[in-house]
Amino acid sequence: CLASQFLYPQREYSFSELCMVYIIQVSVGSHQWTVKHRYSDFHDLHEKLVSEKKIDKNLLPPKKIIGKNSKSLVEKREKELEVYLQTVLVKFPIAAPKLLSHFLHFHLYEINGITAALAEELFHRGEQLLMAGEVFSLRPLQLYAVTQQLRQGKPTCANGDAKTDLGHILDFTCRLKYLKVTGTEGPFGTSNIQEHLLPFDLSIFKSLHQIEINHCGANLIKGLTSSKHTLTTMSVRFSASSMKEILVPEASEFDQWVPEGALSSFPVTAVIPTWKTLTTLDMSHNRISQIDDSVKLIPKIEFLELSHNDVSLVENLQHLYNLIHLDLSYNKLMSLKGVHTKLGNIKTLNLAGNLLERLCGLNKLYSLVNLDLSSNKIDQIDEIRNIGSLPCLEKVVLSNNPLSIIPDYRTKVLAQFGDRASEVCLDNISTTEKELDTVEVLKAIQKAKEVKYKLNSSDKKISEDSRLTAASAKSNCSSLTVHPSSSSLPRPVSSSQGNHVCIVLLCWASWSLRSNSAEQGQNGGRMCIWTFKSSLAQFPD
């Protein structure tokens, strides 16, 4: 269906003269677009159609030399050109000739025109592209067109030109290894077509090793899982709202599912095959809020990119035993508690641009080599102690944190790494000899403080023990009634009791010396000594 609307001529200048341009609005189903052409373009088209397709040479309104830009002539010509296009289209009801298709931009916006143009391109360059092993780019609209053509079940070569046979596309896609699919954020070209709203099927690709998808609707993509056994690298950006949409799209059809080969303690409705060869997954710049359990299906993953999403919790990554690189930058992480239980073998960790204040969850990541913590909310130097003892850490980025404005920030941070300070590259700047000298001074000061603290703690402990002993002895002394003038002493029943009595008397004697007169003190003292000797004599143990 073609609706041709010629607006009042749009003025354009070409070679310093005013040109009249006619705007054609084309509608095919719900899709619409506009095409601009001068009268000379119509004339060239007509000449070729007369020559190649034998149409009536009098269909096109004739040229005018005098008054060609007058308002009356332009309005008249507008109506005549519209009739011309409608008449020509009627003459080709099955498929428009290539000349007419390109004139109306069918090769850009219309299903048959798009597939015909793609098939012809692959007829000429397909083998060369496959041999070169380069990435081949397709638009979502092109994939949509191919998908619709296959669903319609029409002949693969509707216009009779073998070069435009759909088979050329299918043969190429069957062998292609590297694919890039990139849509647009808004309407495509001069049309009203929103590419991210177009469904398409990727099951026609049988040998993909790498795929990149941008600005598409992840929930509208079908057939991606058919490449599970070949894909090693996959990138899906500006397209998804969850990881499940890509990794396990069939999850919405089943209540309970488990990965292939996994044991389950509950009834399952589906066993999902894993992505057996996928080692790199980039799902950055999406709307993902959770690292869901679909990661169980990618056990071979080594590189995982989830930056620029809405993730607030590190979870489920314990299933990725081979993971060595993780990018969670520019998410909404506030805590790293227990993260070492999820990232046992991680070597590179990017946590830039989050909401982190504490680093207590990083202190057991013993294999970590590169760590980016820039643009967070870390404000305490003491937090660096959580990573200062990591044995393999070589690169740390802490820029754009509150602590980075602390005086002597670099040396204070490096000092937290102790003897490994010279091995650490901070904020992508190698450590200088001057900084190392300052670090040594800071370490010496710190050690002195620690020694002083230990001595003070030891003195306090001794003083406290003495105070408690004296208080206990005084309490024991006051609890017994013993008089120095008594003619008889308590009879001990055992050596331990005898020793106890002796100690009590000594304490009493000391108290007596302090509280009574000198003469009483001497008597008390003598009695104490006598009793002590008597006790020893009776109980030599």
Side-chain angles (χ1 to χ4, degrees), residues 41-49 84-85 99-100 103:
D41 298 327
F42 282 90
H43 185 269
D44 292 342
L45 169 69
H46 181 66
E47 291 290 323
K48 292 177 181 177
L49 288 176
Y84 169 77
L85 283 177
L99 290 170
L100 183 58
F103 185 82

Side-chain angles (χ1 to χ4, degrees), residues 234-482:
M234 178 163 59
S235 173
V236 181
R237 299 188 297 174
F238 304 103
S239 304
S241 59
S242 73
M243 299 183 73
K244 282 185 178 180
E245 286 181 333
I246 295 298
L247 298 178
V248 53
E250 58 266 55
S252 59
E253 303 175 13
F254 306 106
D255 296 329
Q256 299 289 344
W257 60 270
V258 294
E260 181 182 21
L263 299 177
S264 175
S265 58
F266 53 85
V268 298
T269 54
V271 177
I272 309 296
T274 60
W275 298 76
K276 293 180 174 58
T277 57
L278 192 65
T279 59
T280 301
L281 176 62
D282 181 355
M283 294 194 71
S284 60
H285 296 276
N286 284 294
R287 304 178 303 281
I288 298 170
S289 59
Q290 180 186 17
I291 305 175
D292 56 48
D293 57 355
S294 64
V295 297
K296 295 177 182 178
L297 295 171
I298 49 173
K300 299 293 182 67
I301 281 293
E302 298 176 7
F303 299 85
L304 180 59
E305 301 274 348
L306 291 172
S307 63
H308 297 275
N309 278 290
D310 299 320
V311 176
S312 59
L313 183 64
V314 181
E315 56 184 334
N316 287 315
L317 296 179
Q318 68 272 17
H319 303 292
L320 307 182
Y321 305 111
N322 299 296
L323 185 63
I324 58 175
H325 174 104
L326 175 63
D327 190 342
L328 283 170
S329 59
Y330 298 95
N331 277 276
K332 296 181 179 179
L333 296 174
M334 298 181 67
S335 172
L336 297 173
K337 186 177 181 181
V339 73
H340 67 280
T341 63
K342 314 290 193 306
L343 304 173
N345 300 314
I346 202 72
K347 291 184 177 180
T348 299
L349 181 59
N350 191 343
L351 298 172
N354 280 281
L355 306 172
L356 300 171
E357 297 180 7
R358 302 288 177 262
L359 305 179
C360 56
L362 302 176
N363 57 341
K364 294 183 180 179
L365 297 180
Y366 300 120
S367 60
L368 192 61
V369 177
N370 304 303
L371 177 62
D372 191 341
L373 291 165
S374 60
S375 301
N376 276 280
K377 296 186 176 182
I378 306 166
D379 57 2
Q380 299 294 323
I381 291 290
D382 288 345
E383 286 300 314
I384 308 304
R385 293 181 181 177
N386 289 294
I387 59 175
S389 60
L390 297 180
C392 299
L393 194 59
E394 296 178 359
K395 294 183 179 180
V396 182
V397 182
L398 291 167
S399 55
N400 296 321
N401 276 283
L403 61 72
S404 63
I405 62 173
I406 296 175
D408 300 323
Y409 145 76
R410 282 184 58 84
T411 51
K412 288 178 180 178
V413 168
L414 291 169
Q416 306 303 314
F417 291 89
D419 295 335
R420 293 194 64 249
S422 61
E423 303 172 18
V424 175
C425 176
L426 177 60
D427 295 340
N428 298 313
I429 301 175
S430 300
T431 307
T432 65
E433 288 297 327
K434 183 178 180 180
E435 287 175 333
L436 289 176
D437 292 341
T438 306
V439 167
E440 290 299 322
V441 173
L442 292 176
K443 285 165 57 180
I445 294 174
Q446 183 63 30
K447 287 182 180 179
K449 288 181 179 179
E450 291 174 357
V451 171
K452 184 177 179 181
Y453 175 77
K454 289 180 180 179
L455 289 175
N456 289 340
S457 299
S458 179
D459 291 343
K460 288 180 180 179
K461 188 175 186 303
I462 293 172
S463 175
E464 183 67 17
D465 292 345
S466 300
R467 186 185 68 78
L468 293 174
T469 302
S472 176
K474 183 174 181 180
S475 174
N476 291 336
C477 179
S478 62
S479 66
L480 297 174
T481 304
V482 182

Side-chain angles (χ1 to χ4, degrees), residues 512-528:
S512 174
L513 285 168
R514 289 193 298 272
S515 60
N516 297 332
S517 64
E519 184 179 355
Q520 290 175 331
Q522 292 172 356
N523 292 336
R526 285 195 296 272
M527 184 170 67
C528 175

Side-chain angles (χ1 to χ4, degrees), residues 194-213:
Q194 302 277 349
E195 290 191 298
H196 67 280
L197 299 178
L198 297 176
F200 55 85
D201 194 335
L202 294 174
S203 60
I204 58 175
F205 296 91
K206 308 297 184 182
S207 307
L208 286 181
H209 289 183
Q210 176 182 315
I211 187 169
E212 180 180 342
I213 300 173

Side-chain angles (χ1 to χ4, degrees), residues 116-245:
L118 179 59
E120 185 170 354
E121 178 188 0
L122 296 178
F123 172 80
H124 292 292
R125 300 179 56 237
E127 288 298 328
Q128 179 184 349
L129 292 170
L130 291 172
M131 291 182 63
E134 298 177 353
V135 177
F136 187 70
S137 294
L138 287 170
R139 304 198 63 84
L141 182 54
Q142 290 175 300
L143 290 169
Y144 167 77
V146 174
T147 301
Q148 294 302 309
Q149 283 277 62
L150 292 173
R151 286 180 179 176
Q152 290 174 4
K154 293 182 178 180
T156 58
C157 186
N159 63 3
D161 186 352
K163 295 178 182 178
T164 63
D165 194 307
L166 195 62
H168 300 310
I169 299 176
L170 299 180
D171 177 67
F172 179 82
T173 57
C174 230
R175 296 185 288 157
L176 183 66
K177 293 183 178 181
Y178 309 103
L179 173 65
K180 181 177 182 179
V181 183
T182 301
T184 51
E185 293 187 49
F188 172 54
T190 64
S191 73
N192 65 343
I193 301 172
Q194 302 277 349
E195 290 191 298
H196 67 280
L197 299 178
L198 297 176
F200 55 85
D201 194 335
L202 294 174
S203 60
I204 58 175
F205 296 91
K206 308 297 184 182
S207 307
L208 286 181
H209 289 183
Q210 176 182 315
I211 187 169
E212 180 180 342
I213 300 173
N214 300 305
H215 296 291
C216 298
N219 59 325
L220 300 174
I221 300 174
K222 306 298 181 183
L224 179 58
T225 54
S226 63
S227 296
K228 277 185 176 182
H229 63 290
T230 59
L231 270 179
T232 60
T233 301
M234 178 163 59
S235 173
V236 181
R237 299 188 297 174
F238 304 103
S239 304
S241 59
S242 73
M243 299 183 73
K244 282 185 178 180
E245 286 181 333

